[in-house]
Every structure is written in C-alpha cells, then in structure tokens.
C-alpha cells in the first residue's frame, strides 16, 4: 500500500506512519511543511526504513501537492493548524491550512487514481455535546475558528465524494493522548511545566470534559477505515473515557510526584466547549474498539514526556512566541 500522509511529522501523523511501516507491506510518503508543530525528530526512528520518504511542502501549494500525490493508493490527510488557542489568537492560519489546504489536496486527488482519501476531521465539528454522545448524522455546530475550519474542510470532502465520486472517508475522533504531542496541548504542556515546578494554567473551573483516546488506538482505527471503511461514510472514533480536566491533571501530577498546589485557575478560553462526546457504534460494527486502559495509558504517556525533557524543551522553543503572548494574561 502506497500512502501519502500529510502532517506526518506531527503528533498523530508520526504515530500513524510508525504504526503502518511496522506492517512491512506499506510505503509512506510524508508531506509536511514542518511548522512549529512538525518535527523530523518525531519520525527519526523510521527515517531509515526503505518504505519511508519525507517531502517538505505546504498543502496550500498546488504544485507541491500534485508532485507528492504521484503513485499514491491512499491519502491520509492529517496536516492542519490544530490548536484551538492559536486559532482564537489569530484565525487566519487555521482557515488557510485547514480549508484551503484541504481543497488543494482534494483537487490534486481528482487527478490521481486513489483507492481511498481519508480525511482526519474531529469531534469538535459537532460543537459541544450537552446531551447524548454525538452520532455521525448529527448537525455540525462548530463554535470556534479551529472547529469551524475543520467543519468547512469536512463538508468539502463530503462534497467531493458526491460531486466527483472521490473515495472519501471521514474520520472524527476525540482528544488523543500519547507520545509526540506538541506541548501546547493540555497533557504535554502541563507535563513540561510541572517538571519545571511551574504553575499549571487551568481554564475556568477545570470541569470541562474531554473523551481521551490513546493515539495507538486511533492509529488502528484509521488503518481499519482504510481497509474496511465505506467511501462516502463518516466514522466517529471515541475513547469511551470521558474525564473532567482536573482529573486528568491530578493523575498526571500523581505520576510525576508533583504537588496539586501547582494548579492555578486562570481566565477561561473564549467560547470554551464544556464537553465533547461521541457515539462509536458505527466503527465498532467494523470490528474496532479502544483497547488502551486509561490509567495505564496516561501514566505511560506522562513517563514518556518525563523521559523526553530535551524533546519538550526544544518543541516549546519553536512555539514560544505564541505561548508567551497567550499566557501573559494567564500568569505564565
Ligand atoms: P499536530 O499539530 O501535532 O501536527 C500537524 C502537522 O501538520 C505538523 O507536522 C505540521 O508541520 C503539519 N502542517 C501544518 N500546516 C501544514 C501545511 N500548511 N502544509 C503541510 N503540513 C502542515 O496535529 P495532530 O494533533 O497530530 O492532529 C492531526 C490531525 O488530527 C489534524 O487534522 C487534527 O485536526 C486532527 N485531530 C486531532 C486530535 C487531537 O487530539 N490531537 C483530535 C481529533 C482530530
Ligand atoms: P487542548 O489540549 O487544547 O485540546 P482541545 O481544546 O482540542 O480539547 O485542551 C484540552 C482541555 O484542557 C480543554 O478543555 C482546555 C483545557 N486547557 C486548560 O485548561 N489549560 C491549558 O493551558 C490548555 C492548553 C488547555
């Protein structure tokens, strides 16, 4: 299987490339612009694999995309501006990469003879889940610039299936956790700060709920959708593990042996979605289930960050300008 993996030097993309190359019957070409969030260190361990190829390029550049999609069977499109806070600080990047970058890729895909085009969407396109877990037919009600840009791309992918017959499959997962996540997201950022004995800026009352999915379980879900997903269909991928943020933070502090006095309640994120929750019945019918037990997966993840201090420090440095500005108001 010849894969084109956009954003394959980021968090989920790098884990996915590693996962697929382990099978022994795949080639993976990564197309990644190496923004602050992308890092070749994330794929260093597979870079000498004969099936691995890296192309530095921007999904917003039509020629780069046309070149990269040559001789591809399956596109898995991860590349995106992925951080809510950054998109609130300045929505332009999310709109450009997530909407226009996806459109570029779809256009190139029309000319390519693909078996599958997997679009990595998100649970956030449904907006906050105040009632029952969201199903694939529920309305999209994104509330922030990041989720609105992902919803735009998600709908454009659906349109390309209907209009041009592109074999699109939409994947909508909940919050992932695991190694190689950029330290602007809750778990790696708070590990970084706790390891340095710095305060942890909890937004609002810290009772917002996320459904945590281990990245390894998510990689298996994407692999299954390539093999058994139906073109034109949408699949939710939940972790079945809903936790208030404070519970996640307390477990992290316990694993690191750091005091809860590091927790500091700060001004809330504007438009903060209080809960995400997905119904996973549809992908479960294909034979997928989340395997990783939460406390074990979380403790292993926290230990990975503790053992990769240099990776954390170097990663934070690349995105420091934004982090300093954003948290200046929040006691950084
Ligand atoms: P990430 O921020 O860790 O990585 C994004 C990658 O995309 C980076 O390697 C970056 O360099 C690359 N990139 C950004 N802009 C680019 C551009 N214009 N051209 C080429 N490459 C570019 O993101 P992630 O957390 O791994 O998320 C991957 C995908 O999964 C995203 O589409 C995101 O919306 C989706 N998603 C993530 C989560 C989560 O919890 N992390 C949950 C649901 C969905
Ligand atoms: P995040 O990792 O940014 O992912 P998302 O916004 O996609 O869910 O945030 C996870 C939760 O943690 C979310 O409810 C916001 C909260 N949070 C904080 O309280 N403080 C922080 O500094 C960050 C980054 C997140």
């Amino acid at each position: 299987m010849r894969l084109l993996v956009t954003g394959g030097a980021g968090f989920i993309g790098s884990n996915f490339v590693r996962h697929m190359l382990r099978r022994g019957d795949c080639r993976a070409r990564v197309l990644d612009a190496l923004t602050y969030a992308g890092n070749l260190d994330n794929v260093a361990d597979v870079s000498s694999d004969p099936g691995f190829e890296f192309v530095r390029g921007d999904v917003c550049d039509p020629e780069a995309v046309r070149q990269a999609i040559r001789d591809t069977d399956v596109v898995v499109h991860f590349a995106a501006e992925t951080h809510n806070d950054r998109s609130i600080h300045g929505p332009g990047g999310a709109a450009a990469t997530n909407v226009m970058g996806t459109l570029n890729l779809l256009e190139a895909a029309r000319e390519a003879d693909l078996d599958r085009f997997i679009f990595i969407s998100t649970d956030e396109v449904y907006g906050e889940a105040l009632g029952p877990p969201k199903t694939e037919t529920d309305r999209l009600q994104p509330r922030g610039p990041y989720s609105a840009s992902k919803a735009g791309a998600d709908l454009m992918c659906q349109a390309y299936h209907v209009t041009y017959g592109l074999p699109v499959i939409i994947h909508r997962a909940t919050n992932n956790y695991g190694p190689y996540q950029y330290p602007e997201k809750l778990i790696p950022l708070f590990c970084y700060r706790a390891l340095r004995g710095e305060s942890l800026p909890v937004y609002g009352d810290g009772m917002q709920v996320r459904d945590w999915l281990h990245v390894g379980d998510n990689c298996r879900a994407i692999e299954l959708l390539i093999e058994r997903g139906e073109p034109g269909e949408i699949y939710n991928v939940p972790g079945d593990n809903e936790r208030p943020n404070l519970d996640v933070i307390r477990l992290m502090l316990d694993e690191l042996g750091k005091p809860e006095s590091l927790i500091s309640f700060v001004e809330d994120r504007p438009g903060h979605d209080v809960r995400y929750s997905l119904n996973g019945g549809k992908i479960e019918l294909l034979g997928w289930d989340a395997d990783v037990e939460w406390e074990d997966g979380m403790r292993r993840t926290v230990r990975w960050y503790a053992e990769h201090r240099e990776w954390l420090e170097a990663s934070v440095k690349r995105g420091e300008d934004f982090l300093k500005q954003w948290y200046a108001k929040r006691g950084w």
Side-chain angles (χ1 to χ4, degrees):
M1 188 193 307
R2 297 167 303 176
L3 295 160
L4 173 63
V5 183
T6 72
F11 165 44
I12 307 176
S14 63
N15 279 284
F16 177 71
V17 166
R18 188 172 299 107
H19 175 80
M20 294 303 280
L21 287 177
R22 235 183 262 132
R23 286 168 41 134
D25 63 349
C26 285
R27 303 183 66 80
R29 179 181 294 149
V30 168
L31 174 67
D32 198 298
L34 297 181
T35 66
Y36 75 94
N39 185 356
L40 281 178
D41 287 349
N42 296 356
V43 283
D45 56 332
V46 292
S47 61
S48 57
D49 187 303
F52 178 82
E53 183 187 347
F54 181 78
V55 179
R56 186 169 189 174
D58 188 334
V59 291
C60 296
D61 173 353
E63 190 46 36
V65 170
R66 254 197 305 277
Q67 288 294 328
I69 209 167
R70 281 173 300 119
D71 306 322
T72 294
D73 302 312
V74 175
V75 170
V76 187
H77 178 33
F78 293 97
E81 287 290 337
T82 60
H83 193 34
N84 270 303
D85 296 338
R86 277 181 195 265
S87 81
I88 294 166
H89 190 64
T97 293
N98 303 357
V99 182
M100 293 311 292
T102 301
L103 182 63
N104 243 335
L105 206 61
L106 287 166
E107 269 301 281
R110 281 176 65 193
E111 308 296 321
D113 184 24
L114 298 179
D115 293 334
R116 294 284 182 274
F117 182 105
I118 312 289
F119 176 62
I120 307 299
S121 185
T122 167
D123 59 350
E124 303 194 21
V125 296
Y126 296 112
E128 56 186 2
L130 301 178
K134 299 288 184 179
T135 59
E136 289 83 353
T137 49
D138 281 343
R139 260 180 71 192
L140 303 191
Q141 292 180 293
R143 292 164 19 99
Y146 163 69
S147 49
S149 68
K150 292 294 289 187
D154 183 313
L155 290 170
M156 193 59 87
C157 289
Q158 294 182 49
Y160 267 64
H161 173 72
V162 173
T163 312
Y164 305 112
L166 199 72
V168 168
I169 292 173
I170 310 246
H171 161 282
R172 295 179 184 154
T174 54
N175 286 61
N176 281 217
Y177 71 103
Y180 297 105
Q181 186 169 33
Y182 186 81
E184 64 190 351
K185 308 291 186 335
L186 178 73
I187 293 171
L189 176 70
F190 279 25
C191 283
Y192 166 82
R193 290 187 60 90
L195 285 162
R196 294 160 59 101
E198 294 171 350
S199 66
L200 308 179
V202 175
Y203 298 157
D205 62 4
M207 292 309 290
Q208 304 85 2
V209 172
R210 298 293 183 263
D211 171 24
W212 295 96
L213 167 69
H214 192 271
V215 68
D217 281 337
N218 192 18
C219 290
R220 285 192 303 103
I222 299 166
E223 179 182 18
L224 183 70
L225 293 187
I226 293 172
E227 288 173 342
R228 305 199 33 208
E230 193 62 42
E233 294 294 318
I234 299 165
Y235 296 88
N236 285 345
V237 186
D240 282 331
N241 183 46
E242 291 187 31
R243 309 272 158 178
N245 292 338
L246 276 178
D247 283 10
V248 176
I249 296 161
R250 289 199 178 106
L251 178 55
M252 181 204 78
L253 288 170
D254 183 67
E255 182 58 30
L256 292 177
K258 298 287 182 181
E260 291 192 11
S261 56
L262 289 179
I263 292 174
S264 159
F265 294 95
V266 301
E267 182 189 323
D268 207 349
R269 165 191 288 173
H272 198 164
D273 289 336
V274 297
R275 175 175 171 244
Y276 297 130
S277 178
L278 294 182
N279 177 315
K282 189 166 168 180
I283 192 165
E284 282 161 22
L285 283 177
L286 293 184
W288 178 87
D289 221 338
D291 254 3
V292 177
E293 192 271 323
W294 160 246
E295 188 167 329
D296 176 52
M298 177 62 179
R299 287 186 185 278
R300 277 192 286 124
T301 299
V302 171
R303 281 200 296 278
W304 189 90
Y305 289 110
E307 288 159 7
H308 290 76
R309 293 282 295 269
E310 276 179 26
W311 182 93
L312 276 176
E313 303 276 345
S315 299
V316 165
K317 268 220 147 23
R318 290 196 308 276
E320 206 164 39
D321 289 353
F322 159 76
L323 291 169
K324 278 194 171 144
Q325 286 180 45
W326 177 259
Y327 288 102
K329 288 203 283 182
R330 296 173 170 83
W332 181 268

